[in-house]
Amino acid sequence: MPVKEKIGTTVPDPELDDLRSVEVDHPIREPYMPPANERRVVANVIRRFRHYSDIRKDWHEAAVEDLGFYMLKQWKDWEKVELDARGQAPLVPDEIRAAIRNFVAQLTANMPEFRVTGVTDDDVRKAEMFNGIIQFILYNNDFLDKLQEWVKDHGVVGLGAFLVQWNPHGLDGNGRIETPLLSPFDCYPDPESREKDWSDAERIIVSRWIGKNRALLLIPERAAEIRRLLPDSDDDRQFIEQQFHSEEDVKLLDEVLDEDKDHLRYIEEYTRVSQPFFQGVELEGGLLTPELDEKTYKAWKEDTAIADGIESGAITVEETWKIRVRRRVVIGNMLIGEEILPTSHYPVIPLFFEHQRNPYSMGAVRGMKMMQRERNKRRSLMIAYATAATNNKLLIDENAIVDKENIETQWGRPNAVIPIKTISDRPLKDHFWTPTVAPLPSALFTLEQESKQDMADYIGIDRLSRGVSGAAPSTLGATLSIDEFGQRGQIPYVRNIGYALRRMGKVLIDFIQFYMTKPDFIRILNPDRQPSEQAEGFAVNIPQYDTFTEEEIEKINDLSVGKFDIMVVDGSTLPSNRWAKMDMYIRLAEADLIDDIELWKKTDIVDREGLIQRKSQLAQAQQMIQQLQEEVQRLGQMFTREGTKRTTSEQETELEKFKGRLKASEVDTTKMALRIEDLLRQAATPKPTNGSPEKKKSTAKRRK
């Protein structure tokens, strides 16, 4: 059974103040005491954290004030007292929140579009897969919602921060890449950093308070040690109070700690270090092994054949040094562990509103606070004037005998009769008069509108983008042009966002190549960054085995192989005018440069995918009908040609037969002509007598 007890411990290391005498509610057990080497590491981490926190104190106080101003804490206590004495109300006609909301809405209207490019031909073919994987990771992490908070933080306090991390317990224990949003007040960068991505920082610390139960959920493998950790000490409580001015500031930063629960300081320290990498080269075959870290290299050397080859000189080892990021995790006074991340970039992704060559930036709220204070005081004055103008004051001669309570009651009623009595013969107007209220200057109303426009101009918001119809021209084309030109004021912020997202994309590629090594199926997204109804995608890290030895010989779509670069499309997060885009696509469709399906993809039709699918089926049916019609036409032409060919052949046969009959007729005609000619000759010649020499000669000639 848990009991309430007073635990007193003596901390051997003076730099560790976490083990003090505190009341805790837990079973009786010995407090956790880390080993000596671990105590030194933990002490150094805590010392650096407090050092960075002390240096960051001025920025912290100003940022807390900016955040409070954004959360409508715009009047100080002494100002409220003074206004109350004047009879004025501490009004807050807030315009900062509206300006920041419009600012965030424009910069985060769409998901960012990444483009991965490869170095070699194989990498180029694989780069398209990385595009799909990155979009898949961002979609599963609800990145668009986090992007809005990220941009809002950088606009309010000057700094927004993301963290790219590998969660081994995600996706049912298979692990997943996550992109949690960090509070700007949880980030403690190196004070000497000058780059806007903190790439030159010696280290970056991320720290906040967490409950013991939360720690057990995050790190279940160290549950036994975590249960023995003592909660935060009184010194740490005082350390928290020194960073805030009031309880309201604590609530603003979500640093409210439940007194009934045990809390521990959670610290993550990221440091860039140099790490050795090894490559083995076989001289005879020229085989180059992939780069191996120190741990993998030691395991690789234990192979007998490799060891003999290195000893004989047949295999040489090339050593190179590369920059990597070391991550240490400390909870309370316990070192949870440390690891070398597979990237040379810090996984903490900062976003600055205005970078001033230091890690402490101011937000848009700080530049608009004076404008908002002017607006608050002017509105309070105008309301006080309206109150005074609608409630006239009455001045009464002190010598007049009147019922003041009756006058106060009847003064505001129409047609009221108020009896009074004077003690002199002077006229009544000499005893009572109403002071005249000076008219309110019209310039105040002009200043009211100008102050609103000044705050919008400060962060680059155009009037047309805020829906001010008076700023719109009469034609659609001119309106669209002005809307496009109005976005130019946000180009610096768009480029800052693109720069930070490109850094995050590089870390994502490094994490994908190192952690995503298991066979998997990646579901791709449609052009609207939404998962399609049909399971479309590609398989990655699919092993191929030798038929006889059953050894793995290669992997299809191996994500760990290849070198890639990444860029972010400029302005991909900005809003696009739907009517202008639709008009452009209609013009392209009318010019037959795109088909109607591509046009429908850009519309807001509810059942768009179903319509495209039905249109595709109809187009396929029409195409099939057209193909059948073409086939019928082709067969008809073939039959026509065959019929024409057969008819011609028959005619040629008949002609030949006719020619044969004609030739036979010609022969018979010739014979007949010769016969007739012979008969005619015989008829013209006189007949000779029997036995005469002429008759014998003629008979012999005829026989011949």
Side-chain angles (χ1 to χ4, degrees):
M1 293 290 295
V3 296
K4 200 83 155 182
E5 63 170 355
K6 189 84 171 179
I7 298 181
T9 58
T10 302
V11 183
D13 196 326
E15 291 186 280
L16 284 177
D17 300 328
D18 296 319
L19 303 179
R20 296 277 184 167
S21 297
V22 293
E23 281 193 359
V24 294
D25 187 11
H26 64 83
I28 299 177
R29 59 168 62 94
E30 190 70 21
Y32 176 77
M33 184 59 62
N37 57 344
E38 184 177 318
R39 288 202 303 270
R40 287 192 296 270
V41 172
V42 172
N44 290 331
V45 171
I46 295 177
R47 177 180 54 80
R48 285 190 291 264
F49 159 68
R50 294 190 172 182
H51 177 63
Y52 285 5
S53 180
D54 289 338
I55 297 177
R56 200 195 66 162
K57 187 176 181 179
D58 293 340
W59 173 87
H60 186 102
E61 293 178 354
V64 169
E65 183 180 348
D66 295 342
L67 180 59
F69 206 88
Y70 175 79
M71 300 300 292
L72 305 182
K73 186 184 175 184
Q74 299 180 4
W75 292 96
K76 297 181 180 179
D77 294 337
W78 66 268
E79 292 177 329
K80 294 180 181 179
V81 174
E82 186 175 345
L83 287 175
D84 185 66
R86 297 177 184 175
Q88 299 180 12
L91 302 177
V92 182
D94 183 62
E95 186 63 26
I96 289 183
R97 291 172 67 88
I100 293 295
R101 283 196 300 266
N102 203 330
F103 175 74
V104 173
Q106 291 197 34
L107 292 179
T108 61
N110 297 299
M111 282 281 284
E113 182 178 351
F114 292 88
R115 290 184 181 175
V116 181
T117 57
V119 178
T120 64
D121 293 340
D122 294 337
D123 297 342
V124 170
R125 289 190 294 268
K126 200 180 295 183
E128 192 63 29
M129 297 183 186
F130 276 83
N131 286 324
I133 293 173
I134 290 177
Q135 294 296 340
F136 178 80
I137 292 173
L138 298 183
Y139 176 80
N140 286 336
N141 282 277
D142 300 323
F143 187 76
L144 187 57
D145 296 333
K146 297 177 182 178
L147 181 67
Q148 294 176 353
E149 294 296 323
W150 187 47
V151 175
K152 189 193 77 172
D153 288 342
H154 108 289
V156 175
V157 301
L159 173 65
F162 262 120
L163 176 65
V164 181
Q165 66 180 13
W166 171 256
N167 181 7
H169 307 295
L171 292 179
D172 298 329
N174 294 322
R176 59 175 290 188
I177 298 176
E178 297 179 345
T179 57
L181 185 69
L182 297 178
S183 170
F185 300 98
D186 293 342
C187 301
Y188 302 82
D190 179 11
E192 297 182 356
S193 174
R194 296 294 178 265
E195 298 294 335
K196 64 180 180 180
D197 57 358
W198 294 343
S199 58
D200 60 339
E202 183 179 354
R203 58 180 51 85
I204 299 174
I205 295 177
V206 178
S207 175
R208 68 163 299 158
W209 295 98
I210 63 173
K212 262 193 177 183
N213 293 333
R214 176 66 176 169
L216 294 173
L217 183 63
L218 292 176
I219 313 170
E221 60 272 14
R222 302 292 299 274
E225 294 90 340
I226 292 176
R227 289 191 179 96
R228 294 169 54 195
L229 290 175
L230 294 181
D232 58 284
S233 65
D234 294 336
D235 288 349
D236 287 329
R237 292 281 186 175
Q238 296 174 3
F239 182 73
I240 297 176
E241 295 173 358
Q242 291 173 1
Q243 302 181 60
F244 304 102
H245 299 288
S246 65
E247 186 67 22
E248 294 183 5
D249 294 340
V250 176
K251 293 179 180 179
L252 285 175
L253 302 183
D254 191 25
E255 286 284 354
V256 179
L257 303 181
D258 190 350
E259 297 293 340
D260 296 333
K261 295 182 180 179
D262 294 341
H263 291 83
L264 303 168
R265 170 62 73 175
Y266 178 85
I267 300 176
E268 290 186 11
E269 184 187 57
Y270 297 92
T271 310
R272 300 183 73 186
V273 295
S274 296
Q275 290 291 314
F277 287 85
F278 304 90
Q279 283 184 327
V281 181
E282 188 177 2
L283 300 181
E284 297 179 356
L287 177 62
L288 181 65
T289 63
E291 291 183 341
L292 307 175
D293 57 19
E294 190 171 6
K295 182 178 179 180
T296 309
Y297 172 67
K298 290 180 179 179
W300 178 70
K301 282 180 58 178
E302 292 178 356
D303 186 88
T304 306
I306 299 297
D308 295 341
I310 295 176
E311 185 178 356
S312 62
I315 298 178
T316 60
V317 178
E318 298 179 357
E319 181 180 2
T320 58
W321 290 81
K322 293 187 177 182
I323 300 296
R324 289 293 182 262
V325 175
R326 182 184 64 200
R327 173 176 176 259
R328 281 177 175 166
V329 179
V330 173
I331 296 182
N333 68 328
M334 181 175 67
L335 178 65
I336 297 299
E338 65 178 47
E339 62 176 334
I340 301 298
L341 300 180
T343 179
S344 60
H345 308 284
Y346 281 120
V348 180
I349 313 299
L351 175 64
F352 290 97
F353 183 78
E354 287 187 4
H355 187 250
Q356 303 296 332
R357 303 294 193 278
N358 60 61
Y360 313 115
S361 171
M362 75 171 190
V365 172
R366 194 171 306 178
M368 294 189 291
K369 284 198 307 188
M370 294 303 298
M371 306 178 196
Q372 183 63 42
R373 285 195 175 105
E374 174 201 355
R375 185 178 175 85
N376 294 346
K377 294 179 180 180
R378 182 171 54 249
R379 182 66 63 86
S380 179
L381 182 62
M382 292 171 66
I383 296 300
Y385 171 85
T387 303
T390 56
N391 296 277
N392 295 330
K393 295 178 176 63
L394 177 64
L395 302 181
I396 304 176
D397 188 354
E398 61 180 1
N399 296 322
I401 301 175
V402 296
D403 187 356
K404 295 182 180 180
E405 294 182 358
N406 186 35
I407 292 178
E408 291 178 358
T409 304
Q410 301 294 331
W411 186 259
R413 295 181 180 181
N415 302 324
V417 178
I418 305 174
I420 62 173
K421 181 180 179 179
T422 62
I423 61 174
S424 66
D425 296 334
R426 289 184 300 171
L428 185 63
K429 63 179 182 179
D430 293 339
H431 296 276
F432 304 91
W433 64 93
T434 303
T436 304
V437 180
L440 188 67
S442 60
L444 290 178
F445 299 97
T446 303
L447 292 174
E448 188 81 2
Q449 297 299 323
E450 288 181 354
S451 64
K452 182 185 295 186
Q453 183 59 36
D454 289 342
M455 283 189 275
D457 292 340
Y458 180 78
I459 54 178
I461 299 178
D462 184 67
R463 296 180 62 195
L464 188 61
S465 64
R466 293 188 289 120
V468 180
S469 59
S474 57
T475 61
L476 175 62
T479 302
L480 297 178
S481 299
I482 292 179
D483 182 48
E484 182 179 355
F485 296 153
Q487 294 181 355
R488 295 180 179 178
Q490 297 180 344
I491 289 179
Y493 313 116
V494 172
R495 289 180 176 172
N496 288 341
I497 293 175
Y499 181 85
L501 290 176
R502 186 169 182 266
R503 268 283 315 280
M504 187 182 72
K506 291 181 177 180
V507 178
L508 284 175
I509 289 179
D510 292 338
F511 276 39
I512 290 171
Q513 291 191 294
F514 185 81
Y515 291 114
M516 297 183 65
T517 57
K518 297 180 180 179
D520 197 1
F521 181 84
I522 305 299
R523 187 177 182 183
I524 62 175
L525 305 178
N526 62 19
D528 293 334
R529 311 296 194 274
Q530 300 294 330
S532 58
E533 294 182 358
Q534 299 179 353
E536 300 178 355
F538 48 85
V540 296
N541 301 322
I542 305 301
Q544 297 294 307
Y545 299 95
D546 186 87
T547 306
F548 300 100
T549 62
E550 296 183 355
E551 295 181 356
E552 182 179 333
I553 54 178
E554 64 174 351
K555 285 184 179 180
I556 299 178
N557 298 333
D558 188 357
L559 298 180
S560 63
V561 178
K563 294 183 178 180
F564 305 93
D565 195 7
I566 190 171
M567 63 172 291
V568 180
V569 179
D570 291 336
S572 58
T573 61
L574 291 177
S576 58
N577 193 302
R578 294 184 302 168
W579 294 106
K581 178 183 275 189
M582 192 65 190
D583 182 68
M584 179 190 69
Y585 275 89
I586 290 175
R587 293 177 183 272
L588 293 175
E590 291 176 350
D592 292 333
L593 298 177
I594 61 174
D595 56 6
D596 52 353
I597 293 180
E598 190 66 27
L599 174 63
W600 288 342
K601 289 180 180 179
K602 307 302 177 182
T603 63
D604 296 331
I605 299 176
V606 177
D607 190 19
R608 181 173 50 192
E609 290 190 358
L611 181 61
I612 293 175
Q613 184 178 4
R614 291 191 297 272
K615 179 64 178 178
S616 301
Q617 294 174 354
L618 179 61
Q620 292 175 1
Q622 291 177 348
Q623 184 178 3
M624 184 177 297
I625 292 174
Q626 183 178 1
Q627 292 176 354
L628 293 175
Q629 290 177 348
E630 293 177 355
E631 183 67 17
V632 171
Q633 185 178 3
R634 187 183 65 82
L635 293 175
Q637 293 176 354
M638 184 181 68
F639 291 153
T640 302
R641 289 195 299 269
E642 290 294 332
T644 303
K645 183 177 180 181
R646 185 171 57 254
T647 302
T648 304
S649 178
E650 292 176 354
Q651 291 176 352
E652 290 178 353
T653 302
E654 293 295 332
L655 180 60
E656 292 297 330
K657 291 181 180 179
F658 177 75
K659 287 180 179 180
R661 291 193 300 270
L662 182 60
K663 188 174 182 179
S665 299
E666 290 177 353
V667 172
D668 294 342
T669 302
T670 302
K671 290 182 179 180
M672 183 63 70
L674 293 175
R675 181 65 178 167
I676 293 172
E677 184 181 357
D678 189 29
L679 292 176
L680 290 176
R681 214 175 18 252
Q682 290 180 5
T685 303
K687 295 182 180 180
T689 60
N690 294 333
S692 61
E694 292 81 0
K695 184 177 181 181
K696 294 181 179 178
K697 186 175 180 180
S698 175
T699 302
K701 184 177 180 181
R702 188 167 54 253
R703 290 177 178 176
K704 184 177 179 180

